[in-house]
Structure formats: C-alpha cells, structure tokens
Amino acid sequence: MANILITGANGQLGTELRNRSFSLLDDVFYTDVEELDITNFKAICAFIETHDIDTIINCAAYTAVDQAEDDEEKAMKLNRDAVANLANAAVKLDCLLVHISTDYVFDGTSDHPYTEKDATNPQSVYGRTKLEGEQAIKKSGCLYVIIRTAWLYSGYGHNFVKTISRLASERDELNVVSDQWGTPTYAGDLAEAIISIMERDDLPELEGVYHFTNEGACTWYDFAKEIVALTGANCKVNPVTTEEYPSKVKRPAYSILDKTKIKETFDLEIRDWREALKSCMATF
C-alpha cells in the first residue's frame, strides 16, 4: 500500500495517470497548482504530512521550450527550484521522488542513442533548467527515480500530434523539419510504465536515472506524415531543413534515447512509436 502524490496532474502525463489504475491498495492524490504550489516548500511538507505521502510523482514542469528563452526566471522556478523543494521535502519526510525529465539535457550531437551514462550538455534554457532540476534531486540525498523522455504527446493539452491533426484539416500543405531525429512518446505508455515501476517492492534498490520513449526513430517530418495519414486528411507534408524553419531555440538534431536500462531493470515491453500513435489517435 502506498500514498502517492502526483503533481502537475492536469498536464498530459498527469491526465494519462488519472485515466489509469494504480493498485487498489494505493491512495493517489492528484494535484496541480490550485491544490498545491510546489514552489512553496512549507506547503509541500504540510501536504505530505497531512496525507501521509510516501511517494511523489512529479509531472509538473515549465515545458514551453521557446518561451523559456524569454522567461528564464519562471522556467528556473518550476524546473529547478520547485524540484529542489520536492526533493528536500522527500528527504525530510522519507518519500520516494519519481521525476520526469527530458532529452533536452543532451546537446543532440551524438551518433548513437543516448544512454544514462552519456555526458549532458543542454543547449537551451529549457534543457538547462531541467538538468539543474535533476542535479538538485541528486544533491538533496533523497531516494529518487528520474525518467527522461522525449517528444511527448497525448490526446490532452498542446502537443505536436494535436497541432498537426488540426493543421492538416485546415491546410493543403505543411512544411515540417526533416533533419531532427528522435522518438515520439505516447504519454499513455509512459504512464503505464510509471505504474508498473511503482509496483516493484525493491524500488528503493533501483534508484537512478532511466530513459523512456516508445521504440523506433523518425524525424518530425516522418512523424507528421504518419499523423496526417491517420487523420485521412488530403494534406501534403513537405520536408524542410532546420535552417528553413527559424526558432529561438537550438533543438537537438539527434535525441534518440537508449531504453535498455529501463526495459531490463523493470522488465518492460515498449511499443513501436507508430503503434502507440494509432492507439492514441483512435481516442480523438
């Protein structure tokens, strides 16, 4: 039996966790900023003590990658400082902290899928603040599981799948970057993985950093073509280079994550990204 606090519960991953079943013996408390301000250390500690929380799953983050370049203070507040609060509360009150991080902690120059041992080198405010959040967790001394993911989407909130689906119904053509590689991740599959991990009795012995995405690899152009095909829209998708698509942020050219560690440690089977996409879009 566990008492679980989920922060950022109104976001993509938090909503997918709401839609799935933890153990019947678990009490799960879903919170967003209205219920719990994670930038307030005292509020976190009070919530944990009131509800006898033993596990925190932190889905809260500042994820607006472009906006973070102009609002570094807010990104730091949510991605580093709030995470430090959760970690320090976890130490003080003897909780496990499960934290979601990102492929943006890497620079995207690799020629092989990134493992958990590869050197980090974020190239954006978003990536740097997320890495500093990871570092705050490790520095705190709390018991933790950090899960890095990438290209997250679902039927909720704002994401690439929903945007491309909408644009395909409105336009005859779309231009999409074809020289950035990664792996789309269905938030529903990540939620299932988290719940599976939470069921392990030996979790305290498995502390560390893990990578999770769906299987396979593609470019944003490949991803968009698959989305448009599944919508049935009569919309042509054109490949363009990163240079042709100006952005405030230097996005990783290569952000494929190696999932060997999480699959072997927790005996997980992970779906191919195309299969996961079909499953998600069937719910639209």
Side-chain angles (χ1 to χ4, degrees):
M1 177 178 179
N3 289 343
I4 301 169
L5 164 62
I6 297 180
T7 61
N10 293 340
Q12 291 191 80
L13 180 57
T15 302
E16 292 289 358
L17 284 167
R18 284 182 189 266
N19 293 342
R20 283 157 176 80
S21 299
F22 286 81
S23 167
L24 293 176
L25 297 177
D26 294 337
D27 283 330
V28 186
F29 300 86
Y30 297 93
T31 68
D32 216 288
V33 65
E34 294 81 6
E35 296 83 20
L36 178 61
D37 178 5
I38 61 173
T39 66
N40 185 327
F41 178 72
K42 289 183 179 179
I44 296 169
C45 291
F47 192 100
I48 291 172
E49 290 183 304
T50 298
H51 300 285
D52 197 23
I53 300 296
D54 50 50
T55 303
I56 304 166
I57 302 176
N58 181 36
C59 302
Y62 186 105
T63 57
V65 176
D66 287 302
Q67 293 176 27
E69 296 298 311
D70 298 321
D71 197 359
E72 183 170 353
E73 182 179 355
K74 187 173 182 180
M76 281 291 187
K77 189 175 183 180
L78 288 173
N79 292 346
R80 179 193 63 188
D81 299 342
V83 173
N85 285 341
L86 291 168
N88 290 327
V91 172
K92 180 179 179 180
L93 299 168
D94 194 24
C95 298
L96 164 70
L97 175 59
V98 178
H99 175 69
I100 309 304
S101 193
T102 176
D103 60 306
Y104 273 71
V105 300
F106 298 112
D107 59 20
T109 62
S110 179
D111 59 0
H112 65 273
Y114 283 101
T115 73
E116 294 81 357
K117 294 181 179 180
D118 283 324
T120 54
N121 185 26
Q123 300 294 298
S124 65
V125 168
Y126 170 67
R128 187 169 68 254
T129 59
K130 290 294 287 184
L131 178 59
E132 291 190 22
E134 291 187 15
Q135 292 168 339
I137 291 171
K138 295 175 183 178
K139 182 179 178 181
S140 75
C142 76
L143 179 63
Y144 70 88
V145 172
I146 295 171
I147 303 175
R148 294 176 181 148
T149 191
W151 295 24
L152 197 68
Y153 68 89
S154 70
Y156 308 98
H158 301 286
N159 58 70
F160 188 78
V161 173
K162 293 185 71 177
T163 297
I164 293 298
S165 297
R166 175 178 56 80
L167 292 176
S169 69
E170 299 172 350
R171 302 181 186 179
D172 295 327
E173 292 188 34
L174 294 174
N175 295 329
V176 183
V177 171
S178 62
D179 57 359
Q180 294 175 17
W181 286 84
T183 308
T185 307
Y186 176 32
D189 284 4
L190 176 53
E192 293 281 3
I194 291 170
I195 291 171
S196 179
I197 288 169
M198 296 302 302
E199 293 173 349
R200 289 288 292 260
D201 293 332
D202 58 345
L203 195 53
E205 301 168 19
L206 304 175
E207 176 182 79
V209 178
Y210 296 87
H211 290 170
F212 182 94
T213 64
N214 284 109
E215 293 282 21
C218 64
T219 66
W220 290 109
Y221 165 72
D222 299 324
F223 192 16
K225 282 188 67 177
E226 196 75 16
I227 295 165
V228 171
L230 289 170
T231 67
N234 186 21
C235 177
K236 182 181 179 183
V237 183
N238 303 311
V240 296
T241 65
T242 298
E243 290 184 354
E244 295 175 275
Y245 195 88
S247 171
K248 292 180 181 179
V249 179
K250 182 180 179 182
R251 286 177 160 78
Y254 184 97
S255 61
I256 300 169
L257 300 179
D258 186 306
K259 296 167 287 293
T260 302
K261 181 180 176 182
I262 199 168
K263 288 192 293 185
E264 292 183 351
T265 302
F266 298 106
D267 194 26
L268 295 180
E269 293 185 6
I270 303 177
R271 292 193 289 182
D272 181 80
W273 70 267
R274 293 177 183 84
E275 182 184 350
L277 177 63
K278 291 178 183 176
S279 177
C280 176
M281 291 187 66
T283 66
F284 284 14

